[in-house]
Amino acid sequence: MGRVAVAVIVSLWVIPISILVNRIVPDPYMDEIFHVPQAQQYCKGNFKSWDPMITTPPGLYYLSLAPVASLFPAMFFIQAVSSFFEVCSTSVLRSVNGVLAVLCSIIIYEIIIHLRPILDGRKATLRAVVLALYPLHWFFTFLYYTDVASLTAVLAMYLACLKKKYQLSALLGTFAVVIRQTNIIWMVFIACTGVINITLAHRRSVEKVDESHESVRKNGHLTPSSSATVASNLRKRKSKGIVDEDDKSRLSTSIYSATQTSGLLDEIHDILLTAWHMKWDILCSFSPFFLALVAFFTFVYWNGSVVLGAKEAHAVSPHFAQIMYFSLVSTLAVAPVHLTMGPAKRLLWSFWKNKLLSFFQVLVAFITSFLSVHFFSITHPYLLSDNRHYPFYLWRKVIKAHWSMKYLLVPLYVYSWFSIFSILEKTQRKIWVLAYFLATAAVLVPAPLIEFRYYAIPLYFMIFHSDINNDLHWLLMGVLYIVLNIFTMMMFLFRPFHWDHEPGIQRFIW
């Protein structure tokens, strides 16, 4: 079992379903009507051409040129095509995401075993396969959208950062931004987690050296083992200022003891103080991230907007209700973990232990949530007019079923966020959880349109750092994802419908 097993398992569904989708839906559909012709222009070498309706950068189109170029010699040799452009068909372009989905599953496996090095190989394989089945990622594997490429690039960036390959991480992050511009937020988040991990590792190394010196002072002499430990630690501190923790004691590069009870302000103070002492090491390691951030802001200033095209329909808006929707969708996606009696009891017990603070936190959460859904709940014209998307029906049949419904959902939003925080804080420091929440909000709040696709990246980060050790929970999640995938693909392929005001076949999509 391992990365090869994961790749083979994922390929077993990517290949046949891709063939089925291309046979039943051979022509570009939905956003593909913009992406496919644009990629074909690049295949012609016309890199100055640009469709003003496309909002994302051209990273996916550049990426697609590599597999197209690799296929051209063989297809030309067997006289299947006569030009490079002919290889750039809808089915071939869709296959790019199929290849990326397999690569993404391998990256997911690598992240899992890095964060949990003592995890059994079969369990790591199971978790990677389950996460590869996540419906919002799985469905768009078979269409030419930017989502799979975006997720793959972001997770590759994160894996490189976890392995302390910061220049490579920044390079992958830059490419992730070229695929989808909001990935700049995840680039900043990953850089922040890298800084947190470095400073924590440095503090642990200092504490170990201090403990060794204290032992020497008390005993009056050095044992061979303590002498070697002190010398080794001093060499590491002098040369790098960064110390790698023993793999067997590491659940994650940022995970800390469950018994640690330091407050958020204490953590911020400690990290800032340590970071200041390590400023040159951090500056050298993370300067490429800073350069990419400067380049991004320069582009936004030159472009006049974050999005490239259709700026009026995708104007930045204070859509604070978006993070409420995300919390509920993410909790449902990990329902076996969040919606069982065990986590609910632990959450209630944590409230009971500190009733005054918990009451204040719940009160603030309810007030904030009510204000968000009342004043900052945006109804985008696309949401109201396009009945091909599932959010259209959720909006009409659930949120807008009655004027009070959006307020009645507030307790579910609040519980979802508290449950997410509770599970993350079991393995992550408070400052990491805060950074995660701020990054998620920074990505979702400016988006006026409710698109569940936007929730995929923060959901993956949440699951990676959640303490989900029950194999039954993973199996139940896998079953849930498979059922949803079968339903959505059957609806997409075999339940087409027609619009009176527009010719052509319409299909249900996320």
Side-chain angles (χ1 to χ4, degrees):
M1 306 294 280
R3 59 182 66 86
V4 175
V6 172
V8 170
I9 294 171
V10 172
S11 299
L12 287 177
W13 73 63
V14 167
I15 295 172
I17 297 177
S18 296
I19 295 172
L20 181 64
V21 170
N22 287 321
R23 181 171 297 176
I24 297 177
V25 190
D27 299 321
Y29 180 69
M30 287 289 286
D31 289 4
E32 285 186 321
I33 64 174
F34 308 115
H35 294 307
V36 169
Q38 185 62 55
Q40 291 173 339
Q41 288 295 323
Y42 278 38
C43 288
K44 292 179 179 179
N46 187 7
F47 296 103
K48 293 184 178 180
S49 172
W50 188 256
D51 188 332
M53 291 301 295
I54 296 177
T55 62
T56 50
L60 177 62
Y61 317 132
Y62 286 119
L63 184 64
S64 302
L65 293 176
V68 171
S70 66
L71 290 173
F72 175 69
M75 297 184 71
F76 181 79
F77 179 76
I78 64 175
Q79 298 183 347
V81 296
S82 58
S83 67
F84 186 83
F85 168 73
E86 291 181 23
V87 185
C88 216
S89 63
T90 301
S91 59
V92 170
L93 291 174
R94 286 173 177 172
S95 70
V96 172
N97 277 341
V99 174
L100 289 174
V102 176
L103 176 61
C104 187
S105 67
I106 297 173
I107 294 172
I108 290 170
Y109 176 84
E110 293 287 343
I111 292 174
I112 290 171
I113 62 174
H114 185 92
L115 295 177
R116 292 168 175 80
I118 62 175
L119 187 67
D120 178 74
R122 292 185 178 182
K123 292 183 178 181
T125 301
L126 169 66
R127 298 181 184 190
V129 171
V130 169
L131 291 179
L133 284 167
Y134 175 61
L136 273 303
H137 168 65
W138 183 89
F139 186 90
F140 291 100
T141 296
F142 311 105
L143 297 176
Y144 193 61
Y145 275 56
T146 60
D147 299 87
V148 176
S150 173
L151 176 65
T152 304
V154 169
L155 295 187
M157 166 176 53
Y158 186 48
L159 178 61
C161 186
L162 288 175
K163 294 186 175 182
K164 298 182 174 62
K165 299 177 180 179
Y166 301 116
Q167 285 74 21
L168 175 61
S169 179
L171 180 62
L172 291 168
T174 302
F175 187 66
V177 175
V178 176
I179 294 173
R180 181 176 286 173
Q181 55 270 56
T182 53
N183 288 336
I184 191 68
I185 304 298
W186 297 116
M187 191 175 185
V188 172
F189 168 74
I190 288 171
C192 289
T193 62
V195 172
I196 292 172
N197 294 339
I198 284 180
T199 55
L200 292 179
H202 180 77
R203 286 183 65 85
R204 283 193 291 267
S205 68
V206 171
E207 290 169 359
K208 285 185 177 180
V209 173
D210 291 342
E211 288 173 2
S212 299
H213 280 302
E214 181 65 19
S215 176
V216 171
R217 186 186 66 80
K218 288 182 178 180
N219 296 331
H221 63 279
L222 275 172
T223 64
S225 60
S226 63
S227 176
T229 301
V230 172
S232 174
N233 283 333
L234 287 174
R235 282 195 300 271
K236 289 178 181 178
R237 289 174 60 196
K238 185 175 180 180
S239 63
K240 292 169 61 179
I242 301 170
V243 178
D244 293 336
E245 294 296 306
D246 178 56
D247 278 347
K248 290 188 177 182
S249 66
R250 186 189 74 229
L251 177 63
S252 161
T253 51
S254 62
I255 287 176
Y256 68 106
S257 171
T259 60
Q260 188 164 336
T261 57
S262 60
L264 175 62
L265 295 180
D266 293 330
E267 291 179 8
I268 294 174
H269 174 266
D270 291 344
I271 289 173
L272 289 177
L273 186 62
T274 306
W276 175 253
H277 290 302
M278 301 176 62
K279 54 184 176 291
W280 299 118
D281 291 322
I282 292 175
L283 183 62
C284 290
S285 297
F286 292 94
S287 56
F289 289 90
F290 179 74
L291 293 176
L293 185 63
V294 171
F296 175 78
F297 281 116
T298 303
F299 163 76
V300 172
Y301 176 79
W302 170 80
N303 186 54
S305 174
V306 174
V307 298
L308 274 72
K311 297 178 182 179
E312 297 79 11
H314 295 84
V316 173
S317 307
H319 195 181
F320 287 98
Q322 189 86 267
I323 57 175
M324 303 297 134
Y325 309 145
F326 163 78
S327 67
L328 185 55
V329 170
S330 299
T331 301
L332 293 174
V334 199
V337 178
H338 291 281
L339 303 181
T340 55
M341 290 304 297
K345 287 180 179 178
R346 284 193 293 270
L347 187 60
L348 290 174
W349 174 247
S350 66
F351 286 162
W352 183 258
K353 285 192 299 183
N354 197 341
K355 291 186 278 294
L356 182 60
L357 178 61
S358 298
F359 174 78
F360 176 75
Q361 290 174 335
V362 171
L363 180 63
V364 170
F366 267 94
I367 292 174
T368 305
S369 300
F370 273 110
L371 292 176
S372 296
V373 299
H374 183 76
F375 292 106
F376 302 102
S377 182
I378 297 175
T379 307
H380 197 280
Y382 289 177
L383 179 65
L384 298 177
S385 60
D386 197 339
N387 66 342
R388 296 170 294 182
H389 291 280
Y390 292 115
F392 169 87
Y393 299 96
L394 292 173
W395 181 263
R396 292 187 61 187
K397 303 297 184 181
V398 180
I399 296 177
K400 285 298 183 180
H402 189 266
W403 69 268
S404 63
M405 194 62 192
K406 65 179 181 180
Y407 304 109
L408 294 176
L409 290 171
V410 165
L412 291 178
Y413 301 147
V414 172
Y415 171 80
S416 297
W417 268 120
F418 272 110
S419 182
I420 291 171
F421 289 150
S422 175
I423 290 178
L424 288 176
E425 287 180 351
K426 288 173 64 179
T427 58
Q428 296 299 313
R429 287 182 175 267
K430 294 179 177 65
I431 189 171
W432 190 98
V433 178
L434 176 63
Y436 168 78
F437 175 78
L438 292 177
T440 302
V443 170
L444 298 181
V445 169
L449 183 61
I450 300 174
E451 281 273 19
F452 292 159
R453 296 182 293 131
Y454 302 159
Y455 301 168
I457 293 177
L459 176 74
Y460 273 91
F461 278 114
M462 182 191 78
I463 296 177
F464 283 142
H465 295 281
S466 296
D467 190 24
I468 310 174
N469 294 317
N470 190 324
D471 290 340
L472 179 60
H473 288 166
W474 284 100
L475 289 172
L476 290 174
M477 286 166 56
V479 171
L480 173 64
Y481 295 167
I482 290 172
V483 170
L484 283 173
N485 290 337
I486 292 174
F487 172 79
T488 53
M489 188 54 69
M490 293 289 286
M491 293 292 290
F492 176 70
L493 295 177
F494 304 115
R495 289 294 300 274
F497 61 97
H498 297 270
W499 281 346
D500 295 333
H501 61 281
E502 186 175 311
I505 297 176
Q506 310 302 328
R507 300 178 184 275
F508 294 105
I509 197 172
W510 273 110

